[in-house]
Amino acid sequence: MDTLNALLSGFAVALSLQNLLLGFVGVTLGTAVGVLPGVGPALTVALLLPATASFDPTGALIMFAGIYYGAMFGGSTTSILLNTPGESSTIVTAMEGNLMAKRGRAGPALATSAIGSFVAGTIATLLLTFVSPLAVDVALKFGPTEYFAVMVLAFVTVSAVLGASPARGLASLFLGLTIGLIGLDSQTGQARFTLGIPELLDGLDVVVVAVGLFAVGETLYVATYLNRSTDTVERMKGSIWMSKDDWKRSWKPWLRGTALGFPFGCIPAGGAEIPTFLSYAAEKKLSKHPEEFGQGAIEGVAGPEAANNASASGTLMPLLTLGLPTTATAAIILAAFQQYGLQPGPLLFDTQPELIWGLIASMYIGNVILLALNLPLVGLWVKLLTIPRPLLYAGILIFATLGAYGLRNSWFDLALLYGIGVIGFVMRRYDIPVAPVLVGMILGPLAEQQFRRALAISQGDLAIFVTQPISGAVLAVTALVVVVPPVWRRIARMRAAAIGHHNPA
C-alpha cells in the first residue's frame, strides 16, 4: 500500500505541466536520436548536461530518462528501414526486421516493434515500481564493507563485459579511477595529480569529462570513419497495421522478451545486447515457423525489441537503489544526479521521494506517449535520416563547446573538453570502451571513502572484506566473473580441438 501511495504521489509530480512537457521533450528527443545512427542516448544526455544545470532536478531527470528509453523505441526504426542499428541493442532487430521490410512488410515489423516496446516497457516499469522498495530495504542493511564490495563488482563487470576485451575495459577503468583521484584528498587536504595547476585542485568536472568523451570523441570518430557510408532506406509498402496472425505470433515473444530483458538490465553490465540475442535464439527454437528465420520472421523482431526495452527500465533499478550504473547511459544519468548534488541510493528514496517516484511515474506516461509518437509518425522520423551528416556533427560540436564553456566561463574547461574529446576519439578508434572511464571517475572516490571507513571500523584489518558474509559473497562473485569466462573459453577451444582431432576429415 505504501508503494501504491508513493506511486500516486509520483504521478502528481509527473503530471505537472512543466514535468509533463519535459517528459514529452525527452521521449521525442530520444526517438530522434535513436533513429539517427551514431547519435545515441549517452551522447545526447551528455550534451544536455551543461544546458540543464539550472533546471529543477526532477524535471531534468525525467527528461533524461525519457531520452534513454525513447532511444530504445527509435533505434528499431533505423534497424528495420535502413538495416543500420541506431543502437547496439537493436542489431538483432535489424537482422529480421530489415528482411521483413524488403519483403514489403515494414509496417507490421515497425508495429510489432512499437507495441512490443510499449508492453515490455510498461511491465518492466511495474516490476521497477514494486521490486525497488524491496531492494532498498536490503541496501539499507549495507555498511561500508558491503558497499565497497558491490562497487568492486560494478567496476569489474562493467570493465570486463563492455568492449572487445577485459584488458581494454580494465585499462579504461583505471584511467577513470586516476581521473577521479585528481584534486584535494578529502581527508588529508593534500593535492593529488594536480601538476601544480590551480584549476585542478577542485578535480575535473564530471560534466566536462562526460561531454568530452561521449559528445566530442564520438562525433570526431563518426565524422572521421563513418561519413562515407551510403544508406538505403527501405520504402514503406502495404498496411502499417498487424494482421490477426501477426498478433498471434507476437504476444508470446513480447512476454518472453520482457522476462529476459528486465533481469539482465538489473545486473551490472548485463545491458541490452545479451538478452536481445538470447530472446532471438529462444524465439527461433520455439517458433512454429523456424524456416522463416533468416528471411524475415516477425517473432525475431517482437522478442528482441521487448527484451531491449525491458532492460532499459531494469537498468534504472541498480542506479536508483544502489547508485550503480550498469550501462554507458546510466553512467551519464549518474553524472546528472551528481550535477545536482544528489547521490542515488537507498537514502534517496527517503530524502527525495518526490524525485524518485515522479521519475518512475513519468516512465508509465512516457511509454504511452512513445506508442502514440512512433507508429503514426514513422514517416517523419525517416525524414531525419536525410539531414546531412556534416551539419549534424558540426551542430553537436558547437552545442558541446557552448555548453562546456557556459558552465564556469572558463577557457580551461574548454581546453579540457577537447583534450578529453581527443582521448575519447583515440579510445573509440582502438575499440576501448569509454563508459568504464566515467564509472571509475564517479564511483572511484566513493569506493575510496567506503574503503577507508571499513578499515577504520576494523582498525586496519583487511580481512573484514572477506569475513563479512555479504561482502565476502559479493567479492567471490566478482572473482568468478573474472576467472570463469576465460576458463570456459579455454575448455571450449580444447573440446573443439579434440573433436577436430577425432574427425580429421
Side-chain angles (χ1 to χ4, degrees):
M1 188 57 77
D2 287 345
T3 303
L4 282 177
N5 288 336
L7 183 63
L8 286 175
S9 65
F11 270 107
V13 174
L15 286 170
S16 70
L17 186 61
Q18 177 185 312
N19 292 336
L20 202 57
L21 188 63
L22 286 169
F24 180 79
V25 170
V27 294
T28 309
L29 205 55
T31 306
V33 301
V35 169
L36 292 168
V39 186
L43 186 156
T44 311
V45 175
L47 206 57
L48 288 173
L49 283 179
T52 55
S54 58
F55 277 32
D56 167 54
T58 307
L61 289 165
I62 284 175
M63 183 170 73
F64 293 153
I67 290 171
Y68 184 26
Y69 56 82
M72 300 297 149
F73 267 72
S76 60
T77 305
T78 320
S79 301
I80 291 167
L81 296 181
L82 200 64
N83 198 20
T84 303
E87 285 291 301
S88 57
S89 53
T90 54
I91 291 171
V92 182
T93 309
M95 287 160 57
E96 293 296 329
N98 188 251
L99 290 170
M100 283 182 72
K102 281 186 165 62
R103 288 170 51 197
R105 283 176 45 77
L110 289 167
T112 193
S113 165
I115 298 168
S117 297
F118 169 75
V119 170
T122 305
I123 295 174
T125 308
L126 273 170
L127 290 170
L128 176 68
T129 305
F130 291 101
V131 177
S132 291
L134 303 177
V136 165
D137 288 342
V138 175
L140 283 172
K141 295 182 173 63
F142 283 12
T145 319
E146 289 78 13
Y147 263 118
F148 177 73
V150 170
M151 286 180 188
V152 170
L153 174 65
F155 286 150
V156 171
T157 49
V158 167
S159 307
V161 177
L162 291 179
S165 77
R168 290 174 184 172
L170 287 171
S172 176
L173 173 70
F174 285 120
L175 175 63
L177 290 172
T178 308
I179 292 174
L181 288 174
I182 294 174
L184 294 177
D185 185 330
S186 59
Q187 291 198 357
T188 64
Q190 287 187 327
R192 300 190 296 196
F193 302 115
T194 56
L195 306 174
I197 302 171
E199 284 83 355
L200 291 180
L201 287 173
D202 289 335
L204 298 190
D205 192 316
V206 70
V207 175
V208 174
V209 175
V211 176
L213 282 176
F214 285 89
V216 178
E218 183 73 17
T219 305
L220 290 177
Y221 177 81
V222 175
T224 306
Y225 292 104
L226 305 180
N227 63 342
R228 292 178 186 171
S229 59
T230 53
D231 302 320
T232 307
V233 181
E234 296 297 332
R235 295 183 62 186
M236 295 278 294
K237 300 172 191 170
S239 170
I240 197 170
W241 302 111
M242 293 162 64
S243 67
K244 189 178 175 184
D245 186 51
D246 290 333
W247 280 93
K248 195 177 169 185
R249 291 175 59 179
S250 293
W251 72 271
K252 285 181 183 174
W254 292 338
L255 297 181
R256 284 193 286 262
T258 307
L260 281 170
F262 185 77
F264 268 92
C266 293
I267 59 175
E273 291 82 3
I274 298 171
T276 51
F277 276 97
L278 284 177
S279 171
Y280 181 79
E283 296 312 325
K284 192 174 180 181
K285 195 167 185 179
L286 295 171
S287 173
K288 291 179 181 173
H289 309 277
E291 72 283 355
E292 287 189 22
F293 278 78
Q295 298 177 14
I298 196 165
E299 295 94 334
V301 179
E305 268 304 299
N308 178 18
N309 278 269
S311 77
S313 299
T315 299
L316 292 179
M317 200 173 81
L319 180 66
L320 296 178
T321 58
L322 292 170
L324 294 179
T326 54
T327 64
T329 312
I332 303 277
I333 294 177
L334 179 60
F337 271 99
Q338 291 208 331
Q339 177 174 257
Y340 298 110
L342 301 168
Q343 179 58 43
L347 294 178
L348 202 63
F349 277 75
D350 279 336
T351 57
Q352 298 281 344
E354 288 188 354
L355 186 154
I356 293 290
W357 289 105
L359 182 63
I360 293 174
S362 75
M363 294 170 68
Y364 290 97
I365 302 165
N367 270 311
V368 176
I369 297 174
L370 281 168
L371 188 64
L373 275 180
N374 268 261
L375 211 47
L377 300 180
V378 66
L380 181 68
W381 301 122
V382 172
K383 285 195 189 315
L384 285 177
L385 296 170
T386 60
I387 296 175
R389 290 191 178 186
L391 289 182
L392 186 65
Y393 304 143
I396 289 172
L397 282 181
I398 290 171
F399 201 71
T401 306
L402 290 175
Y405 185 73
L407 280 174
R408 293 187 294 192
N409 293 337
S410 162
W411 67 267
F412 183 79
D413 283 348
L414 216 51
L416 199 62
L417 174 79
Y418 277 90
I420 291 172
V422 171
I423 293 174
F425 167 73
V426 173
M427 291 176 74
R428 187 79 164 80
R429 167 67 181 81
Y430 292 101
D431 204 14
I432 300 170
V434 292
V437 175
L438 211 57
V439 173
M441 181 187 174
I442 295 172
L443 292 186
L446 298 175
E448 181 191 6
Q449 196 179 36
Q450 301 294 354
F451 181 75
R452 283 176 163 176
R453 282 182 186 167
L455 285 186
I457 292 168
S458 69
Q459 297 182 332
D461 185 5
L462 285 169
I464 190 173
F465 294 106
V466 289
T467 52
Q468 295 289 321
I470 297 176
S471 65
V474 174
L475 289 176
V477 171
T478 308
L480 288 175
V481 169
V482 175
V483 173
V484 170
V487 171
W488 183 259
R489 281 195 292 272
R490 189 177 177 84
I491 291 172
R493 278 200 300 271
M494 288 169 67
R495 281 182 179 171
I499 291 169
H501 180 73
H502 289 298
N503 302 291

